């Protein structure tokens, strides 16, 4: 498979999107370094070749940053993982902008309220950041917790969505 990679400018810095031949986002994040985007994928799911070009998802990301925080909701993604990871990533897409969950609440939404560490791991392994909004999951005390792309970006995204 040959994937397309595109970097756009956002208020949170460079944002790079890697999409497959069907324009499904494989990986994305706040960097201009393709190796970091590819590194979010397992070796067996990485594309054979990557070319620079335009992705459909870029327009949605720009619309998101332009104020339409729902623009990312329908962007197609392609994720590979365990059954629980796939369920978790689908659940992340159902968290509404401006209504973040705690890791405990996220685990409960997965039907496994005691699996808080597993819920956090699902967030940590989420490659198509922004489009699968793992940034909408917080610690029980309301603090930010972790985020692969930095807490400053997570805080900015949550602030944008709370308006």
């Amino acid at each position: 498979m040959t994937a397309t990679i595109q970097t756009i400018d956002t208020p949170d810095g460079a944002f790079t999107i890697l999409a497959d031949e069907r324009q499904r986002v494989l990986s994305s994040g706040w960097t201009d370094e393709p190796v970091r985007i590819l590194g979010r994928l397992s070796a067996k799911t990485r594309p054979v070749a990557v070319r620079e070009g335009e992705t459909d998802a870029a327009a949605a990301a720009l619309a998101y940053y332009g104020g339409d925080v729902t623009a990312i909701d329908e962007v197609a993604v392609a994720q590979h993982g365990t059954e629980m990871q796939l369920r978790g990533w689908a659940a992340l897409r159902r968290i509404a902008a401006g209504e973040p969950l705690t890791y405990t609440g996220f685990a409960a939404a997965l039907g496994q309220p005691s699996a808080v560490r597993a819920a956090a791991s699902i967030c940590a392994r989420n490659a198509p950041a922004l489009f699968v909004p793992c940034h909408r999951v917080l610690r029980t005390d309301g603090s930010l917790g972790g985020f692969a792309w930095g807490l400053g970006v997570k805080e900015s995204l949550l602030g944008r969505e709370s308006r």
Side-chain angles (χ1 to χ4, degrees):
M1 164 190 50
T2 298
T4 301
I5 197 161
Q6 180 179 12
T7 301
I8 60 173
D9 290 322
T10 75
D12 293 319
F15 182 71
T16 299
I17 301 162
L18 180 70
D20 69 10
E21 292 157 332
R22 293 172 45 198
Q23 287 294 319
R24 299 175 302 176
V25 177
L26 301 170
S27 182
S28 54
W30 289 266
T31 181
D32 59 1
E33 299 174 26
V35 69
R36 288 192 64 203
I37 298 301
L38 289 163
R40 302 286 297 161
L41 300 171
S42 69
K44 67 180 182 180
T45 62
R46 276 188 208 122
V48 175
V50 176
R51 66 172 179 80
E52 288 189 27
E54 305 251 333
T55 63
D56 293 348
L62 291 170
Y64 172 90
Y65 275 104
D68 180 3
V69 296
T70 64
I72 59 172
D73 294 349
E74 301 303 319
V75 171
V77 299
Q79 292 176 284
H80 305 280
T82 66
E83 182 181 327
M84 185 168 177
Q85 287 172 326
L86 293 171
R87 278 192 343 209
W89 294 325
L92 286 171
R93 296 200 85 180
R94 292 190 295 271
I95 301 172
E99 299 177 22
L101 288 180
T102 63
Y103 288 103
T104 304
F106 179 50
L110 295 175
Q112 299 188 352
S114 63
V116 177
R117 286 182 191 254
S121 176
I122 288 167
C123 291
R125 296 189 193 304
N126 176 45
L130 184 62
F131 306 105
V132 177
C134 58
H135 64 272
R136 295 178 184 159
V137 182
L138 307 171
R139 288 187 174 153
T140 303
D141 65 4
S143 63
L144 295 178
F147 190 58
W149 304 105
L151 294 183
V153 172
K154 184 172 184 172
E155 185 173 37
S156 172
L157 297 172
L158 292 169
R160 182 176 305 286
E161 294 176 353
S162 69
R163 292 187 190 121

